Amino acid sequence: MIRIENLNKSYGRLDVLRDVSLAIPRGRITALVGPNAAGKTTLVKSILGLVRPGSGRIVIDDHPVSRDPVYRERIGYMPQQPAFPDNLKVGELLEFMDDIRGASEGAAAGPFDRAPGRDLIDTFNLSDSMDRRLGTLSGGTRQKLNAAIAFRYGADLLLLDEPTAGLDPLARTRLKEVIAQERERGTTVLVTSHVLSELRDLAEHIIYLVDGRLEVSSSVHELLRETGAPDLEQAVARLMAESVDAGTDAQRSGAVGEAG
Amino acid sequence: MNVAVRIARYESRDVSRGRWLVVYVVLLFGLAQTLLALEADTTRALAGLINVVLIVVPLVGLLFGTLHMYGARDFNRMLLAQPVGRRELFNGLYAGVALPLAGATILGLGLPLVVAALRDPSALAGVARFLAVAVVLTLASVSLSFLTSVAIRDRAAGMGVAVLIWLSLSVLYDGVLIVAASTLPSAALERPALIMTLLNPIDTARVLLLMQFDGAALMGYTGAVFRNFFGGATGSVVAFLTLTAWIVLPLLLARRIFRRSDL
């Protein structure tokens, strides 16, 4: 389980996360949603240690997130916009990642038990692209490779930032199937997405951020009951509309339009 | 194998295959070959190449390093989402960029010069010194480019600062020195000029290279002071140590910023 306690982060005078405290349940799929500039990416980056919080702390299964990178052995991360070295080949990139994960030596260097990774190369038909230079790949193929790397090392925590962006319908369906299988395996998954219909069949828990503040952290079931909405998409749209009503902020209203 | 070494191995493979590195090798090779063809004597060709090297090598190092670091920012985030520490990543990145660039400098300049020096063995020591200074200057300019790119978040501003650093060290500095030389008596300039030289890696490299030629005698009284200082073993060691400091100090500062910053 990930526990976030009183997390604050500012960039200059801009408060991006304001006293956020929440728990991401273990072995479940949690959707992280909110309008633009809500602090979703900063929260994910904080879990990865890419962003240093101003105050507060993050604890993953009793291991506080620190500068020691060993805790990231158990994390699989899919960034929103994957960028790879242009002049390496697909196969070389996978070798590179295997190499720094220590997978090529067949042993985990840290204290965490890892399940065997899931090879998505065939799932996404990437086998034929092994000798292609990364700089020549289309956006969709990059995203498939991005997913293949995130799922490759048997992580028990997956952080997926807009995972289906740029994927064709077939790849999108396959990725959702793989995420569902990870849930069966007991993997904790945190997904951010603007396309809420993507999360409809997957998310079991929802975290809703607005302006860096935690508005909602509850099970999807509970949220549907409280809002009286028929599905997750409409429940979140109602939450967003409420936030706009509470404070008429131009930025928020833009995001409601996007979500609706 | 150390994580930094693994990163450096793949980084350098990526950098070595880049189009710009090939262009750089061809450019240096062409310049060296042209000067060797124009001058019958290898040592004279070397003297002609000094100015080219002092302009081109730091400019390419600064621009190439800065561009590469900004371009690699997203991938670096991805690497840091793996069990990789920032220190290891930074060290691996520096080695992965600086070493192929140093290799390109040696290949582009060294190949024609070494071939020429083999025909004219008296020039061999000069060629070795010349290549050593070019490599050290490459490493120093990549260090400065790394410092620029981690200290300045905005890519366009960072590129502007990189160009400004090069302009200050190679052009504006000369202007300041000329104004000082024309307004102050030469005796008053000796010590400040020595200190200023050590504060500018390009000038330190220039003096180190010029001192091996008789041209230094043309620089008058101050030239004699420089020759006394840099011409001796102590002076050469001090100059090389200063250039090494220009590699290490910006790099340590850049790594410190990189380890503490939000990515």
Side-chain angles (χ1 to χ4, degrees), chain B:
Chain B
M1 198 195 299
N2 181 293
V3 176
V5 176
R6 296 177 193 207
I7 293 171
R9 207 172 61 187
Y10 289 96
E11 260 313 299
S12 59
R13 201 183 293 179
D14 176 51
V15 168
S16 305
R17 288 178 187 162
R19 192 182 313 149
W20 290 110
L21 206 72
V22 178
V23 172
Y24 181 51
V25 172
V26 171
L27 173 78
L28 291 180
F29 186 90
L31 286 168
Q33 201 60 48
T34 307
L35 278 163
L36 282 166
L38 290 175
E39 298 282 357
D41 178 33
T42 308
T43 309
R44 286 173 69 99
L46 266 186
L49 261 178
I50 288 175
N51 282 325
V52 173
V53 166
L54 292 176
I55 290 171
V56 174
V57 167
L59 180 65
V60 170
L62 268 161
L63 292 185
F64 190 89
T66 313
L67 264 175
H68 184 85
M69 276 297 270
Y70 283 116
R73 207 150 52 174
D74 286 334
F75 185 61
N76 290 345
R77 276 191 204 111
M78 192 166 169
L79 287 176
L80 284 174
Q82 319 301 321
V84 170
R86 291 193 185 199
R87 178 197 288 263
E88 286 81 24
L89 175 61
F90 188 87
N91 292 347
L93 285 174
Y94 180 76
V97 174
L99 296 182
L101 210 55
T105 309
I106 292 175
L107 196 66
L109 291 172
L111 207 62
L113 286 176
V114 169
V115 169
L118 289 177
R119 284 195 300 254
D120 175 10
S122 65
L124 207 56
V127 166
R129 188 185 180 100
F130 183 84
L131 289 178
V133 170
V135 165
V136 172
L137 209 51
T138 302
L139 301 181
S141 52
V142 176
S143 284
L144 285 170
S145 77
F146 270 49
L147 178 58
T148 308
S149 58
V150 298
I152 298 163
R153 219 177 160 76
D154 182 71
R155 184 194 180 110
M159 290 307 295
V161 168
V163 172
L164 202 65
I165 290 174
W166 173 79
L167 208 62
S168 306
L169 295 179
S170 62
V171 181
L172 296 179
Y173 168 90
D174 284 352
V176 171
L177 213 58
I178 288 168
V179 170
S182 60
T183 51
L184 298 170
S186 8
L189 263 179
E190 281 170 31
R191 198 172 283 271
L194 267 177
I195 293 168
M196 275 183 79
T197 295
L198 293 174
L199 288 175
N200 180 346
I202 297 179
D203 208 34
T204 312
R206 178 186 294 141
V207 171
L208 254 177
L209 292 175
L210 279 177
M211 285 305 136
Q212 62 186 318
F213 304 111
D214 292 337
L218 299 175
M219 293 197 295
Y221 180 68
T222 312
V225 171
F226 270 59
R227 194 174 175 80
N228 281 343
F229 181 72
F230 288 108
T234 318
S236 289
V237 170
V238 168
F240 260 110
L241 284 179
T242 308
L243 279 179
T244 310
W246 272 103
I247 300 171
V248 176
L249 296 180
L251 201 62
L252 290 178
L253 183 59
R255 195 172 71 184
R256 190 182 163 88
I257 296 170
F258 184 73
R259 290 183 70 194
R260 290 170 180 214
S261 58
D262 292 324
L263 298 168

Side-chain angles (χ1 to χ4, degrees), chain A residues 157-227:
Chain A
L157 169 60
L158 287 168
L159 302 176
L160 312 177
D161 200 353
E162 303 279 352
T164 55
L167 290 181
D168 58 58
L170 176 63
R172 201 180 303 161
T173 308
R174 285 191 175 159
L175 182 61
K176 281 164 68 176
E177 285 168 5
V178 172
I179 295 174
Q181 286 163 13
E182 283 295 318
R183 174 176 51 195
E184 302 305 315
R185 200 170 69 80
T187 307
T188 306
V189 185
L190 181 67
V191 196
T192 72
S193 180
H194 276 90
V195 188
L196 291 164
S197 55
E198 295 285 347
L199 301 176
R200 192 164 41 203
D201 309 325
L202 291 172
E204 300 159 284
H205 191 88
I206 187 154
I207 294 167
Y208 180 61
L209 291 176
V210 177
D211 280 346
R213 280 202 185 84
L214 177 70
E215 293 283 320
V216 173
S217 174
S218 78
S219 72
V220 169
H221 181 70
E222 218 170 286
L223 180 73
L224 293 179
R225 192 167 50 78
E226 277 175 13
T227 56

Side-chain angles (χ1 to χ4, degrees), chain A residues 60-63 68-75 107-115 156:
Chain A
I60 304 177
D61 286 343
D62 301 326
H63 295 278
D68 184 354
V70 77
Y71 79 94
R72 293 197 289 263
E73 268 187 11
R74 56 190 311 197
I75 298 179
F112 306 109
D113 293 329
R114 292 184 307 178
D156 59 12

Side-chain angles (χ1 to χ4, degrees), chain A residues 23-37:
Chain A
I24 297 169
R26 174 200 270 272
R28 290 163 76 179
I29 299 176
T30 298
L32 175 58
V33 293
N36 294 338

